[in-house]
Amino acid sequence: MSDIKVIAINGSPRKNGNTSILISKVFSTLNESGIKTEEIQLAGNAVRGCTACYICKKEKNGKCVIQNDIVNLCIEKMKEADGIILASPTYFANVSAEMKAVIDRTGVVNRANDFMFRRKIGAAIVTARRAGQVTAFDAINHYFLACQMSIAGASYWNMGIGKDIGDVESDSEGMENMKTLGENMAWLLKATA
């Protein structure tokens, strides 16, 4: 099973923050199951939204026409992966602007290219200081469903609570939930391999 791979796209504008800590917890469990993992952090990368030009529908080359940011790298990694984690902090009860741009652009390219993410396993991870994370969680899961993907879950919604970097490690239920998410995602990936 060593050829199974999961990519995580971290939509936090803070490098190695709480969102990355939650991803690392899931990755640890996936790695124990022999699954390869890779995280792409959007922090430090200016990511713009979809321009609705639909050149991707005309070209059908699996790429976004916008070439000067990280989104085409994300698309390439997502195409190669068996499982895709999209992770975001909660900003005003939704995903970060960076994550929303990735959702919109990769989603259009996916649809324009005969649903190239179809039947991949997806998992949403969200962090929040206090509340609002259910909307962010739903936004990511709606993306997966619109991409014809299957969704891995845990014993509760895949989220952690914390404001300052490292705070999520004190959220014992959130950290345990990430472990469970990793276990369930590993099982689902192996069952569908």
Side-chain angles (χ1 to χ4, degrees):
M1 295 296 169
S2 62
D3 57 340
I4 297 175
K5 184 169 184 183
V6 172
I7 183 79
I9 299 175
N10 181 346
S12 176
R14 288 198 300 187
K15 246 188 181 163
N16 303 316
N18 287 323
T19 307
S20 190
I21 291 168
L22 294 180
I23 291 168
S24 294
K25 184 68 173 175
V26 176
F27 276 6
S28 175
T29 305
L30 289 169
N31 294 152
E32 288 171 11
S33 295
I35 295 170
K36 295 177 185 173
T37 55
E38 181 181 357
E39 178 181 1
I40 295 176
Q41 296 194 39
L42 299 181
N45 292 287
V47 182
R48 65 178 291 182
C50 181
T51 62
C53 68
Y54 298 115
I55 292 173
C56 59
K57 288 178 101 172
K58 180 183 172 195
E59 300 284 326
K60 293 194 178 295
N61 62 1
K63 295 180 182 177
C64 177
V65 70
I66 300 168
Q67 299 290 320
N68 62 348
D69 65 19
I70 197 169
V71 173
N72 278 321
L73 173 66
C74 292
I75 292 169
E76 202 53 45
K77 297 286 186 174
M78 292 166 77
K79 282 194 312 192
E80 295 168 1
D82 303 288
I84 300 167
I85 294 172
L86 295 185
S88 179
T90 302
Y91 289 166
F92 292 90
N94 214 321
V95 296
S96 68
E98 295 85 353
M99 180 53 69
K100 181 63 171 133
V102 167
I103 284 172
D104 290 349
R105 287 174 53 201
T106 64
V108 173
V109 172
N110 170 65
R111 295 177 78 80
N113 289 273
D114 301 318
F115 292 92
M116 62 189 177
F117 303 149
R118 177 190 294 126
R119 298 193 184 103
K120 291 183 184 287
I121 308 302
I125 297 175
V126 294
T127 57
R129 178 190 65 83
R130 184 171 174 87
Q133 64 272 40
V134 172
T135 311
F137 185 66
D138 286 347
I140 296 170
N141 285 319
H142 283 119
Y143 165 83
F144 290 144
L145 293 172
C147 290
Q148 296 188 32
M149 294 171 60
S150 296
I151 299 172
S155 58
Y156 195 70
W157 301 301
N158 311 334
M159 57 185 66
I161 305 297
K163 178 186 172 207
D164 296 323
I165 294 175
D167 283 354
V168 291
E169 293 174 303
S170 298
D171 177 9
S172 58
E173 184 179 356
M175 295 304 284
E176 185 62 29
N177 206 38
M178 293 303 114
K179 180 178 183 290
T180 303
L181 175 60
E183 291 167 351
N184 290 343
M185 193 171 196
W187 179 88
L188 196 50
L189 284 160
K190 289 178 179 182
T192 57

